Amino acid sequence: MSSVPEKDWKRLSSLKQSLLNSACETIFERIEQISSTRKGREHEAYLALWTVINKEDNAIAEMFDDLKRSNAVVKIAALKHHGVLTDEQLALFSQETQDEVAHLCSYRR
């Protein structure tokens, strides 16, 4: 697939900000959990925070950086793989896109 259908591109574009906000909120929740249990283990908590931020920054980049119609199906698959895109949201896309996303996700298990 060279690019997603126009309808799917518009759908992804309309979902982008809420998906990004959702991904960031999940990261903040992880950070808050680590930070709230740091007493007496500050350095260990710092290392855990660094690990989370580094890993999640890579995931955010995979899902959102350089988002364009020609790579949208790969980005949608990344969103699904990382748990940011729900099954209900995926169902908003064409069957063609859903099938391609499922195919790509099958390689990432």
Side-chain angles (χ1 to χ4, degrees), residues 26-101:
T26 299
I27 296 166
F28 279 122
E29 289 169 2
R30 290 180 188 155
I31 289 169
E32 289 168 354
Q33 197 282 324
I34 293 168
S35 182
S36 70
T37 61
R38 73 182 182 273
K39 192 70 172 166
R41 50 183 273 316
E42 286 80 0
H43 185 250
E44 181 183 332
Y46 167 81
L47 294 174
L49 286 172
W50 186 89
T51 300
V52 165
I53 290 172
N54 188 47
K55 178 183 171 199
E56 297 302 333
D57 185 57
N58 290 332
I60 292 289
E62 180 184 3
M63 293 182 284
F64 296 101
D65 283 4
D66 195 33
L67 180 62
K68 52 192 171 196
R69 189 172 171 191
S70 63
N71 68 6
V73 73
V74 173
K75 298 298 185 175
I76 295 167
L79 288 160
K80 184 67 180 143
H81 172 75
H82 289 289
V84 175
L85 187 73
T86 66
D87 290 338
E88 293 78 20
Q89 290 167 322
L90 182 59
L92 298 172
F93 293 93
S94 68
Q95 190 61 52
E96 176 187 10
T97 296
Q98 290 178 53
D99 292 346
E100 188 68 22
V101 166

